[in-house]
Amino acid sequence: MAAVPVLVMPLKLWIDRPGPLTAASGYYPSGHTATAMVAYCGAALLLAPRSGRAGRGWAMPVAVVLSAATGIGLVLRGYHWPLDVLGSWLLCGMLLALLVAALRRIDNRGAAGSGTDAP
């Protein structure tokens, strides 16, 4: 969650894009979409391994639907252009991919160092 403003705010300032219903700028990428996606998908990544086989099957699809609904709602209400939301989805998709890679690396180190492997 801390990485979202670090990534989004400099892009908003650099691109300085006006919103659909206002002359104010700083709408690309959508910070609300980015925060929602990282919160929902991050929670799914953390909950899925701890909720058994059933949790792995539903946690991420629910998070994706909630993230999509948030972004689509922001566009339909006129708060963001579609490209603002798409940019956030792509940016946070990369951020979440890095998180998954880091979690896998941590899991692999923990499994290798547990000493449970038979010689």
Side-chain angles (χ1 to χ4, degrees):
M1 290 301 295
V4 171
V6 171
L7 292 171
V8 170
M9 291 311 293
L11 286 171
K12 284 179 174 285
L13 294 172
W14 181 53
I15 296 170
D16 200 34
R17 178 181 168 143
L21 299 177
T22 180
S25 61
Y27 281 80
Y28 180 89
S30 168
H32 293 103
T33 302
T35 302
M37 184 174 179
V38 169
Y40 293 138
C41 294
L45 288 171
L46 293 173
L47 289 175
R50 290 154 184 79
S51 56
R53 186 175 295 253
R56 283 188 284 274
W58 65 264
M60 191 54 73
V62 168
V64 169
V65 167
L66 290 172
S67 298
T70 300
I72 291 168
L74 288 167
V75 171
L76 292 177
R77 296 292 300 162
Y79 296 126
H80 282 286
W81 296 105
L83 189 59
D84 301 344
V85 171
L86 180 62
S88 289
W89 284 338
L90 294 174
L91 181 67
C92 291
M94 290 186 295
L95 182 64
L96 288 166
L98 290 172
L99 176 63
V100 168
L103 289 174
R104 285 188 180 152
R105 176 171 267 177
I106 290 168
D107 284 345
N108 288 340
R109 284 185 184 169
S114 66
T116 58
D117 295 335

